[in-house]
Structure formats: C-alpha cells, structure tokens
Amino acid sequence: MATKLDKVKQEIKSRILDGTFQPNQKISSESELMKQFAVSRHTVRAAIGELVNKGWLYREQGAGTFCADRSMDSRLMSGSNQKNIAIITTFISEYIFPSIIRGAESYLSKHGYNVSLFSTNNDHSEEKRILEKILTEQFDGVIVEPTKSALSNPNISYYLNLERQQIPYIMINAYYDELEPVSITMNDEKGGYVQTEHLIQLGHTNIVGFFKTDDLQGVKRMKGFIKAHRKFGVPINPNGIVTYDSSGKAAKPVEALARLLSVEQSARPTAIVGYNDELAILMLDVFREKSISVPEDLSLVGFDDSYMGRLTEVKLTTIQHPQSKMGETAAKMIVDMIKEKNSQQRKSPEKVESVVFEPNLILRSSTASLQLKKHVTL
Amino acid sequence: MATKLDKVKQEIKSRILDGTFQPNQKISSESELMKQFAVSRHTVRAAIGELVNKGWLYREQGAGTFCADRSMDSRLMSGSNQKNIAIITTFISEYIFPSIIRGAESYLSKHGYNVSLFSTNNDHSEEKRILEKILTEQFDGVIVEPTKSALSNPNISYYLNLERQQIPYIMINAYYDELEPVSITMNDEKGGYVQTEHLIQLGHTNIVGFFKTDDLQGVKRMKGFIKAHRKFGVPINPNGIVTYDSSGKAAKPVEALARLLSVEQSARPTAIVGYNDELAILMLDVFREKSISVPEDLSLVGFDDSYMGRLTEVKLTTIQHPQSKMGETAAKMIVDMIKEKNSQQRKSPEKVESVVFEPNLILRSSTASLQLKKHVTL
DNA sequence: TCCGATTTGTTCGTATGTATG
DNA sequence: GCATACATACGAACAAATCGG
C-alpha cells in the first residue's frame, strides 16, 4: 500500500510536472500542504525533504520552498558529487608560491574540496598538457597563474573551452589580456611606482630597474618605474632599464649588473629596483663578491616580501605581496563562482569580481638616503 | 554549527570508514544509537535515512540496518580512468615540505597522476577528517607523513581500512610503528649520532640536545644523541636533554635555552644539537639577542638542510635531508605499488620495500672546535 | 506454527530556534 | 516588532517484518 508520504511526494511531483509549480516559483507552504493532504507537518517535511534531495525542490529558510529549475542541470547532477579544484601555478615549491597555495588549500579543504596541484615550470607546452588533463577530467573550478602572461599565449583556446564547458576559472598574479578573466592581482604598476618613488624620495637619481618582461607583472612594474621617473622629473638613464626573461633569469641580469658596476664610481647607479626579491637576493650575492655595501654604497628595493628577503644578512626593503591571503581570496572566489553557477539565475545578486591588491612598501635595511650614503663614503 | 543530526551522521560514517561496521554487517539498532548519542529516535532515523540515500547503509525491516558494500560499485561504475594520488603531510607550505612535495608532484604528474594535497597541521582530528575523505572518494594511492608519529595514533583503524580496501600507502619521514608500513625515512638515529659525534670530535663535552618528541624523528635523533655520548665516553649533562612537542614548539625550547645560558660561564654548554634547522634558527635569534657569537662562543648543529639554514647570517652546519629526492622516491614507489596491485600475482617479482636514507653531515659555519673557541675568546 | 522480543516503518503531536519580508 | 516559514529536536503510538525458541 502506498504510504501517505508516498502520496504527498507523488502529488507534489505531479504538480511540478504539470506546471502547477513553475521553476523558481514558491510552492505551497508546509502548513498549507498539511491541510491539503490532511497529514502532519512531519510527513510533509519528509516528502519535501526527499524531493529536495533528488533535486526537484529547494528550500529557503524564512522564505519558502521553491520549485527547482531542472532544465539543464541533469548532466551536472549525473557526475560524481566529488568537489575538485585544480590549482595551476608556474612553480609550486619555490619562492612565494607555497604561501599562496597554502592559503588556497586551507580554505578549500575546509569547504570540502579536493585540491589538485599542477605546475607549468613556466613552460607553455606543460601548461597545454595540464589544461588538456583538466578538460578531460572533472574539475569544478580552476585557479591558474598564467605562464608567461605578457607573451601571446598559444593555449588561449583551452581557456575558452573551459568557459564553453562552464568550468569557472580565475587567474592570479597576472592574466592573459585577451581573455579578460576574473583575476586576483597586485597593482603591479603602482608597485613599480612605489618602489621607484621611495628611492627618488631618498635622493636617488641614478636608478636602474631590472624587469622580467615575459610576464605581465614585470611589464607593469616597469611601467610604474617609468611613471615615477616622469612624475618626479627624474630622467631615466640610458641603460637604466634592464629586461630579461625566465630563460635568462639567473645569468642575464647578473651580467648586466656587473657591467653597470664596472664603470667609474660617479657614473654608477646608486639604487636598484628589482623585479622581485628573488632577483634582489641574486644581486646581493654579486654585491657581496664585489664588496659593495647595501645600503651604504647602493640601495636595493625588492618586490613580493618573500621570506627569502627576511633571512638574508641585509633585510630587504620590498613591496608587500598578499601571498596566503591571495590564495585564500582566490579559493573563496572560485567557490562562490561554482555556487553561483550551480544556483543559476535563481538569484544572482553579486557577480564575482576581480580583486586588485594595493601595494605597500615594507621598509627594511636595504635602502638608505643618498645623503647618508655620501656621508658614509666620505 | 554542527547539528546533532550531522554529528550522528558523521559518527556513523566514521565507524563505517574505520571498519567498526564492516560491509554487510548489522550496525547498532536505532534504540542503541539513541542511547549512545543521547538523541531521539527521530534524529537517529533521519541520520540513517540520509546515509541510506547516499548508499552507505541499507535497512531491512524487522532485521536491522546494515553496512553497504561499496567496494565494487563506485570504482567500476564511473569507470574512472582517473589516476589520483593523495599526499598528506603535516604542513605543505613551510620548511622542507614544499621541496618534498615538489619532488613527488613532478614525478606523479609526469606519469599521468593527479596529485591532491592535504595538510593535517599536525592535528589528529584533521588527519582523521582527511583519511575519511580519502576513503570516501577514489584514490589509487596515498603518500602520508604521519602526524605525531611517536604518539599512539587514534586513527590507526583508518590505515587498516586502507589496506582492507587495497589502497596502497607509504609513509614518509616517519611511520606509525604498529602498522609496519612501507616507508621512506631518514636514518634519524644515525643522524642524531652524526650531529653529536661531530661536536664531540670538535672537543665539545658539554652539549645540550633539543628534541621534539611527539614525532618519531625526534625520539630517534635523541637516541642517536645518547648513543654518541656513550660511544665516546662523554657523560651527558643533567639538563643535557630538552624535549618539547609541537604545541610548545616556539616557547619551550627558547625558555629552556635562556635558562641554560643564564648560569655562570664555565657551566654553560659549549654546543647544541638541534632537532632541526627550524629550531636552530630560532636559537640563532636568541644568541643574537644575547650577543653570543656562533660558532665562537657556541657551536650549533641543525638537521634537514633547510633553505632557511642557508640564508641566515651564520650558515648552519646540518644534516642533509633528501627533500625533493624523498618526494620523488615516494612517488616512484607508490606508482610501483599501484602497478603491482593491478597486475596482481601475474608476476610479482620484487615487492616494494622501505627505503632509508643515510645521513650526511653538511659542514658550514655554525660549528667550530672548542680549541678554536678558546683561542678566540682569549 | 505460534509467540514474544526486537527492530524498522509510518504517523502524529509539540516545542523552540532562526531567517525572511 | 511581528507574522510567516523553514530548521532542529524530543516524545509517543502503532504497524509490520524478522528471528529465536
């Protein structure tokens, strides 16, 4: 015999199927259904509960019970309820990446997601391999740090395919300009500006900037470097900007630096803007070799506030990078985007929007005013 | 907030996952569960109901509620040719862990595996949560660094359940002794011996060892510390061994050190064996504050060869840790174990066996002979 | 085969908390 | 602030199936 519960369930389902309850429309309240079917609230709730579980209805406390829109989510349902997020970064175990990843991992695992890690080693073909893998398997969202973001990217079509398959993704640190994706970045131009401004305000006029220009960060920081010079009316040296890319990461800037330092004392730069702390530390090694004191002989500003810059003998003045905060923000946003996608138009109050972190200068001991410097060397 | 219903549900699920409720075995009756959890029958029934819906249990009227056998269906139905490996470590973004993880990630992704990361933050309840997740979802293998490996572990049953479900796992850095698992470790006892031997050979006799004793590494390194003293006939100071655990990681050893240094010059230790580089660096800070020079006034040996010990002003003498090599080895082994399982008896030529890395002393500038010390202070 | 204890199945009632409009 | 609606939880009663004796 059919139980009351079954009857109530069946009847509600009928009303959904025959259109009495339209998608996203509020259905009768529990107390009304109690009257209509002459059953207890418990029975009504149990019936509704099962239909909610099966995806026919959804409830909102204080508002009511609503008919779900089952028009398209059938394929979404069919898949496993495993929640997987992929994180793609250029590197995973170096520099500031562990912190970024930790921030994301911590938030995601707290919210029931699995985190899968991939690193491109800053190589487009690796990026391609990983994107293919992600498209093949089932991921609910992707957090990606673009590989060589300043260069034209051969894998754009894979990202477009993510969109086509309705897999949300967000980019961190930089983004591929063509895609205009949701992103979480530093204000790198401002950062480069702040680095340079700090040195100019300390009296430096012969400043050399080193920038890695195969990613967007470097290009933007360079732009800020130039802007600060313009703003303060300080002319930029010929040879005042050194650019390099990932392949020449170690060698080229060091060589360029050696060249710059080999000229007569008066023509030497008195300050250096580094693309990031990693580069700045590389330079500290060169200075140590050449017995150049920082900051007495030369000021140096890094970028990213890496732990590395705090452990060296000369603590680096640098620009703060949110690191784990960035990871956490990215995690929060991708979860929001997944939720939003799954609730689809039911109510989409706030669209997830890109976040830009503003740079803060962290003053440590690698910079000093030019006056002080002259004082010391007298 | 966790509702009672959630708690009951979670606990029943735990009992399934840790093997308390075996497949097709009758679980406790509703009335029993009511007593155990001190909740109403309603709540128990609701909890069981949901687990039935999700396929964890099935009910038979008059007979009881039974644990479902999920061994076959989930794996076969989705056909998943996805290859997933879980890596569980205490931390993921700190110290030597990024390097270990990179080694594993690099190998696994090259061999077509997805890598999911989990960190326990050295907390048993987190470890439990993660193991339940891994048992619930489909992983082909697990690389795990045990949490508080020297303490009796409340989650042993989950590891046994991994074995029951034929999911290979290996332990790195340490292992739970009861399980006798395949593991990849340092020879920590030897390591502690080598640390101490080095100092004794430099002429030190008043050596203090600091060891974190809630994990196996610490206990074994301490054993090596003692053994070296015996071997060379050097008596161990009273107060010559300081133990601490993760909760008192920052405070306790620093306080103990301060006490040790507050006595008269002649009674002070001349050398310190540190549990790891992290601790050693903490101590360097103390020495800096107290204007104690390393190694002139005091020698210090670390362990693990962390990058941190290379960036400080005094480069640490330390014991090499394979780091990324360990990760790679772990990855290789788990892949082998999965292959072996899948080929099952077809030919099982070599069983995968535990690996122990032998310690090497890395000589840097934080240790010096006692003679030299006297020389300098004269 | 029947009995009685046990166990799950169905249903109703009630109370209190919390979110919404 | 108030009514409405859903969320959580406890208690009670009776029905139906199972199982050992």
Side-chain angles (χ1 to χ4, degrees), chain A residues 23-51:
Chain A
N24 299 318
Q25 184 201 314
K26 182 177 173 300
I27 73 166
S28 321
S29 74
E30 290 177 355
S31 54
E32 254 183 273
L33 293 170
M34 285 169 65
K35 278 183 228 157
Q36 288 177 29
F37 297 112
V39 296
S40 72
R41 175 132 185 263
H42 184 111
T43 306
V44 171
R45 274 192 66 73
I48 291 176
E50 289 196 40
L51 292 173

Side-chain angles (χ1 to χ4, degrees), chain A residues 94 102 112 114 133 137 311, chain B residues 94 102 112 133 137 311:
Chain A
E94 279 137 53
R102 177 189 48 185
N114 282 346
K133 182 158 191 159
E137 294 165 17
L311 295 175
Chain B
E94 279 136 55
R102 179 190 46 188
K133 182 157 188 156
E137 295 164 16
L311 295 175

